Each structure stands twice: as structure tokens, then as C-alpha cells.
Amino acid sequence: MLVRKDSKIIAVDGSRMAMFKNIGEAFAPVLELIEEHKNPSLRTSEIGTDKPGRSFQSKSPSRGAHELTDFQQQEEDRFVTEVAEKIEKIVAEKKASVVLVAAPRALGVIRKHLNTETSAQLLAEIPKDFGSDDAEALAKMLAKYEA
């Protein structure tokens, strides 16, 4: 994949965002970490310890349980929404070329919060879980990626 020099690469999953700058050549990217944010998310059991709600039917003796809210997922979605706002600012202010690498679920949340102009200016959206990969592994993946 062609990643121009000085392009920004933003790698996101539910608990981490890392922004890199390509200081290498277009077909052989070398990534330099610019900034990194971590979301110290707790497990759902640590956030909410209450039992799921119950409902009763007045016409029958049956009972039903409501699904337990996944507080951890809500926290990750909130974090990813903040990242989407940051991407909006980067693209609007600097008119920078941006490659977005995000876990599939995080990418879906980001797409919902980006306006169409910003989405059109992204060089690529890559649905890959960045996880704990380092800059070198990410650069190799970008070099091999076919858009």
C-alpha cells in the first residue's frame, strides 16, 4: 500500500489509540510514534455488580430476565467515539493524509461518528485489530496491504 511520507497512521482498538507518522518512503514505511492514549477499562463485573432485571407477566406465571448491560463495551465505545472526534480535528485542521487501522467493532463505531467529508479524505480504513503490535509490525502490514 502506498503510504506517503508524513502521513498519519492511527491504530485503534477498544482500549488503545496510537498515532504514528511515516518517516520512511511510500512503499517502505517507517513509523514513528507521535502519541498514544490508553483507556484503563475495567471488567464489566468490576463496574456493575447488580443482577440483571426481571420482568413478570401478569397473564402467566412465567418470568424473564433482561440482558445484562455490558459496561466494558460501553466504555470502549465511548473511548472510540473520542478517537473519532480526534480524527475529525486532525483531518480538518491539517488536511493530513490519514490511514485508519482499527479493530472491526471499533471501526464501525468510528464510521458512525465521522462525517462524510472526513471519511472521503482518509487514505484507507483497515479492519485489523492492532492490539499490542509495535510500529515495525504495523509498518510491515501496511507495506503488504492491498487497498
Side-chain angles (χ1 to χ4, degrees), residues 48-54 66 68:
T49 58
D50 205 9
K51 294 180 183 177
R54 309 276 301 165
H66 297 284
L68 186 61

Side-chain angles (χ1 to χ4, degrees), residues 16 20 128-135 137-138:
R16 180 178 174 212
F20 299 94
K128 176 163 178 3
D129 192 358
F130 177 62
S132 62
D133 291 349
D134 60 354
L138 185 60

Side-chain angles (χ1 to χ4, degrees), residues 34-107:
I34 299 173
E35 66 180 270
E36 182 175 31
H37 297 284
K38 292 187 179 184
N39 183 21
S41 62
L42 301 171
R43 295 190 328 250
T44 296
S45 63
E46 294 171 342
I47 299 170
T49 58
D50 205 9
K51 294 180 183 177
R54 309 276 301 165
S55 64
F56 303 97
Q57 297 292 328
S58 61
K59 295 180 181 180
S60 68
S62 65
R63 297 179 183 191
H66 297 284
E67 187 174 341
L68 186 61
T69 303
D70 190 350
F71 295 112
Q72 181 183 16
Q73 190 60 54
Q74 285 181 346
E75 180 61 24
E76 287 180 0
D77 289 349
R78 182 202 56 78
F79 177 74
V80 171
T81 301
E82 289 175 3
V83 171
E85 292 168 2
K86 189 172 197 74
I87 292 169
E88 287 275 350
K89 288 178 185 175
I90 290 169
V91 172
E93 290 174 2
K94 300 176 183 170
K95 300 293 183 196
S97 49
V98 176
V99 175
L100 178 61
V101 180
R105 179 167 173 82
L107 186 58

